Amino acid sequence: MKWVTLISFIFLFSSATSRNLQRVARDTEHKSEIAHRYNDLKEETFKAVALITFAQYLQRCSYDGLSKLVKDVVDLAQKCAANEDAPECSKSLPSIILDEICQVEKLRDSYGEMADCCSKADPERNECFLSFKVTQPDFIQPYQRPASDVICKEYQDHRGPFLGYFIYSVARRNPYMFAPTILSLAADYEHALQSCCQESDVGACLDTKENVMREKAKKISIKHQYSCGIFKKFGDRVFQAQKLARLSQKYPKAPFSEVSKLVHESKEIDKECCAGDMVECMDDMAEVMNNMCSKQDVFSSKIKGCCEKSIIERGQCIMDAEFDEKPADLPSLAEKYIQDKELCKSFEAGHDAFLSEFVYEYARRHPEFSTQLILRVAKGFESLLEKCCKSDNPAECYANAKEQLDQHIKETQDVVKKNCDLLSAHGERDFFKSILIRYTKKMPQAPTEALLKIGKKMTDIGTKCCQLSEDRRMACSEGYLSMVINDMCRKQETTPINDNVSHCCSESYSNRRPCFTAMGVDTKYVPPPFNPDMFSFDEKLCSAPAEERELGQMKLLVNLIKRKPQMTEEQIKTIADGFTAMVDKCCKQSDINTCFGEEGANLIVQSRATLGIGV
């Protein structure tokens, strides 16, 4: 296969003008889906997205190994484009992709039980393959960038295959990242090479740009995996509600009809990408972005620059664009949603439509709120109306709706303020320590390493979000916290932690964070027997790097709390002070290990006495 033609569309990246794909009208019946998508995307983009699809399913497969699979699918697409009535052209595109995978020789040798997926019928076959995607593939070697002179010459002499390999590398490392984003990253990479290969210090230039790209890719990949997880766990209604809140915030000047249409289209695109149907995802994304760019005056003034980019770069640019300013003359919602004495008629006549419009109106007025808070407010309003509309005097019942709904706002604002104040007053170390204490008490059954990772992620969120202005802190912090919590909940499904965690993970999407915040000590937890071996001390506490010593202290703290989750702040301080005193004393001695042996034993005895743990 001539891979030099694979990424020839990348040449468009340097163009400032928009290149619209020639699209087939959606209301036309298509005899062949593969022909339809091929005609929409054109050969080069179709090839690139087929490569992404195969690389995300077959993460162990080599670049050259995937080229045959891509060639087979492209050949079939070309055949079907010429004759849609050919027998093999009526299959769905996902079925064609999976059939190709199931024909790979020695599939079981490389992928083990994944080969059993081939015996299932669609769509179960695809669900089976998706379950084998590895989010952090340790079997892929870390990227080693070639020498500066080599990389620039390789790019200049073999641009197509060079960028094709980049796309393959990103896709197999990020099996849930959406195809439009991967192609956008390829565009970023090309821009970086074009710029840096002109610099005197190519390596330093690429280091800076690659670090930015790597962080961007990591952030987007986590968001995509999160999005797919929410869709799978909570279904269409919750997924669309979350999209509606977000898009209403982002495009507050757009009418409800346009935002609703965009929500539905976005849901279908995400659904396709989450199912691994990257060709359809790419094709439909391009159409939606073209439509938005044709209606810039309707949607947002913030997407003008994006719409001047190539079709490959446009989608991610629009998704990353800032919120538009909300209209200055938006009326109060009280008249429509609280003061109207006939409100129950509207609510009962079209329950979902009524709530959708409420979410739209509320969200466009509050860009400073997290989407989760907006959905909590909407859920609270729904519950209130369900109760009031059954009462003798509905209007009197819901007259104080604002005061009741404001409780959700205050709870969230208080949590953000409390944590940002703690971080500001005491710094990252004590903030991290506070998070560890809280979450070890909530779920002492979780592995120590997992708790440390959770604490680190939450501390990073605090550091990132608390430095923002007041109007951006909440959306930032609760948005990222929701992703951390979702990761915990995903692991909880296969390795249950406790009933409290299970309840918070399953009950409500929008209420997950408040549920975890309010979660107390697990009263059903039975601590393991006290094991002195878990509290070993040696000279590494003196000689190890500061970060490693700090980590050792945090592990000690977690293990102590696991022995008695009800321990008080005063008890924690007493033991921590004893530990610090021991380290200070022993690190000054000539025989450090002997000192730690004696003083460590004393500290264990004192700690058990402090906690009331018997011998």
Side-chain angles (χ1 to χ4, degrees), residues 76 118 134 138 141 188 241 248 255 288 312 318 324 336 346 397 436 443 445 456-457 502 513 540 553 573 606 613:
L76 178 60
C118 294
V134 181
D138 55 7
Q141 293 298 313
D188 291 345
S248 300
V288 170
I312 300 303
I318 288 175
D324 200 7
K336 182 175 182 180
S346 301
C397 179
L436 270 186
M443 42 193 207
Q445 301 91 339
K456 177 68 167 64
K457 286 177 181 178
S502 179
R513 197 280 306 151
K540 287 183 181 178
Q553 291 180 38
K573 185 178 185 306
Q606 292 166 6
I613 299 175

Side-chain angles (χ1 to χ4, degrees), residues 129-142:
F129 273 111
L130 290 174
S131 71
F132 282 93
K133 285 188 174 185
V134 181
T135 53
Q136 294 178 318
D138 55 7
F139 49 81
I140 299 177
Q141 293 298 313

